[in-house]
Amino acid sequence: MRYFPVMTENKIQKIDPPVPVVQWVGDADTGCLRLLDQTLLPLETSFMDCRTAEQVHDAIKRLVVRGAPAIGVAAAYGMILACREMEKPRAAEYLESARPTAVNLSWAVRRVMAEAENPGQMLDLAREIHAQDERMCMSIGHNAAGLLEKHCENGGVLTHCNAGALATAGIGTATAGMYVAHSRGLRFTVYCDETRPLLQGSRLTAWELQKAGIEAVVLTDSMAGALLVSGRVGMVIVGADRIAANGDAANKIGTYGLAVLASRHDVPFYVAAPQSTFDLSLSDGGGIPIEMREGDEITRGFGRQTAPDGIGTWSPAFDVTPAELITAIVTDLGILSPVNEQGVRDLITCDPRR
Amino acid sequence: MRYFPVMTENKIQKIDPPVPVVQWVGDADTGCLRLLDQTLLPLETSFMDCRTAEQVHDAIKRLVVRGAPAIGVAAAYGMILACREMEKPRAAEYLESARPTAVNLSWAVRRVMAEAENPGQMLDLAREIHAQDERMCMSIGHNAAGLLEKHCENGGVLTHCNAGALATAGIGTATAGMYVAHSRGLRFTVYCDETRPLLQGSRLTAWELQKAGIEAVVLTDSMAGALLVSGRVGMVIVGADRIAANGDAANKIGTYGLAVLASRHDVPFYVAAPQSTFDLSLSDGGGIPIEMREGDEITRGFGRQTAPDGIGTWSPAFDVTPAELITAIVTDLGILSPVNEQGVRDLITCDPRR
């Protein structure tokens, strides 16, 4: 297969995420930003109402809201609140400083600053950014659902980390196909790698799927090999943090090992990501910067010390899966396969919206 | 290479483990069994003195002492204590019931019951079982040290779980070559997979290596792929719980994935295990029974709940690495490579001690 145009957007029936991650409550002048507090998951479903710039800044910084698309939407609404207290440029700068490396955050804030004058216009624009994100998720979902129907009927799909509804304002990226296929009546089991060190798989992905009535099973990252041997997995699908011009994809640490295992077992390995994830300035994955994390996340992962004092650690947050191991990249524009430089260029340049 | 005879035992200089795991203190009539309490590692180095059958039973059951070889030695000494309170057959039966599936436990207890009449004879025999275990570790260590010298000088070796000194009465199996090579002056880094769900790598292997002055670095299991990509690893060495007649090896969950990754990166993958690990009644690894563990080890692994209530889990304790992915099996009898049925048969049948 090669990429193909998605269904036109008005034909796609909207599916709500299992829980609203980002909402605006009330009108532009007196309303507030309501965020699902993801720091309390999976034990507590609680919402936090932000009424000040500082509350929004703090919520983004503390990961109350996380995932690049969800942060972008939250920040767009956050601009309405921040501009109640300060000048637009100062408001933008302040919100951006909450997580300086999040591209969507900066993009959304700058857009609101440039295109909206008053609270009413800002709310309209934030709602449009929100709706765009929902449509992006739905498009990926429709494209990915067919793959689930092909490979996973009454079987299993394996995923890693949380590229889910909780990371977007819609139904997620890697999870989007699961929600769409489930709504069409397909029955399947989602195997969720717990995803050490921060356990986004067990804390977040398993939680949101369970909430939506989709069967979810948690395993440690080290169990994926045995799971593939067992024949329970029809396909693997994960998200991506950045994709180079040749299709090499950076994603949460452990993704590469999963791709190598899937390849050995002839199980298709899919990456789901919006067009905004492609970084054509990088010829291949070797140029993607990999953040190294603090060792405490490994040695004191969940409140208890589990390694000796003073031990060395090695903790990259991401790894790079080479294009050759990726069966296809499922985007909001269509499905790209085989994954290579020519395909990526064609996919991106043919986009009428770009 | 093919297997070759080990150095004769009297030529091997003994290396002490970094901490005594099992000791007998005092004489046969009034002495006691002193165990390192591994349940308190890595935070506390504390010893537990057992003076009654019940204390020995409890220590084995609670994993104060763990690892098949170490349990066997502890139970041999434990028979001296148990026979102070009850008849020999009752003592044997009682100790065996602490962990019914541990083969070494039953073997050691039965041997003491059959071959020793009085406390003095029992102590002599327990010391002999202890010394045998130490020699087994030293033989594996001498065989494996050469591989470290070949592949890891000023570089790294990757291991999984704890097939270490803490699991034996000597210097371990997978770790034995590290202790021997280190004593010869080789400098290298041991990368320890933390080994979810029970974290034997970060809690135990990192601890014992640090104690011995060997540089140890902890990473999550999911980081092994990126570590291999980085070029830091010259070889992988792990233990085994059971090895079939064709060389397929069962070991802690995650080992198989590691072997697949090592193969992709042309990094040699070694299994270190004594001859007692081979089970020639099984033609291949498909016949090795795999224990499934409780989901709580995944969902409440660190003392805090990290997955939603009622979520499904899938938790095999072991996986099987096919012989084709094993560069060599390092045993106390020599090094077996290539790993196949003929080689296993030759190795085992040529053993003069068998």
Side-chain angles (χ1 to χ4, degrees), chain A residues 70-135:
Chain A
I71 289 174
V73 175
Y77 289 122
M79 277 295 282
I80 306 168
L81 300 170
C83 289
R84 289 181 192 161
E85 304 167 32
M86 48 188 101
E87 294 297 311
K88 271 205 296 182
R90 171 80 192 98
E93 197 185 326
Y94 178 61
L95 290 185
E96 276 184 83
S97 72
R99 285 190 77 186
T101 53
V103 173
N104 294 52
L105 167 56
S106 177
W107 169 84
V109 158
R110 299 272 146 197
R111 197 171 157 198
V112 173
M113 187 174 84
E115 298 178 26
E117 285 299 320
N118 58 50
Q121 286 174 353
M122 284 185 193
L123 182 54
D124 288 346
L125 183 53
R127 286 201 200 283
E128 171 52 23
I129 290 171
H130 191 150
Q132 258 179 18
D133 195 58
E134 288 177 326
R135 287 197 299 271

Side-chain angles (χ1 to χ4, degrees), chain A residues 194 196 210 218 256 265 309, chain B residues 194 196 210 256 265 309 312:
Chain A
E194 65 172 3
R196 280 283 283 152
Q210 186 191 53
V218 177
Y256 167 64
H265 290 277
D309 283 331
Chain B
E194 65 172 3
R196 281 282 282 150
Q210 186 190 52
Y256 167 64
H265 290 277
D309 283 331

Side-chain angles (χ1 to χ4, degrees), chain A residues 285-306:
Chain A
I288 301 177
I290 301 296
E291 175 189 1
M292 297 299 292
R293 306 279 300 174
E294 289 298 320
D296 274 9
E297 291 180 355
I298 299 178
T299 59
R300 293 166 191 269
F302 293 85
R304 188 182 294 178
Q305 183 177 338
T306 53

Side-chain angles (χ1 to χ4, degrees), chain B residues 1 12 17 33 64 70 73 85 90 101 104 115 122 141 146 161 165 175 206 211 231 233 297 302 307 309 325 331 347:
Chain B
M1 66 188 153
I12 299 181
L33 170 63
V64 169
V73 174
E85 304 167 32
R90 173 81 191 95
T101 53
N104 293 51
E115 298 178 25
M122 285 186 192
C161 198
T175 57
K211 193 95 181 162
V233 176
E297 291 180 353
F302 307 87
D309 283 331
L325 294 176
T331 77
L347 180 85

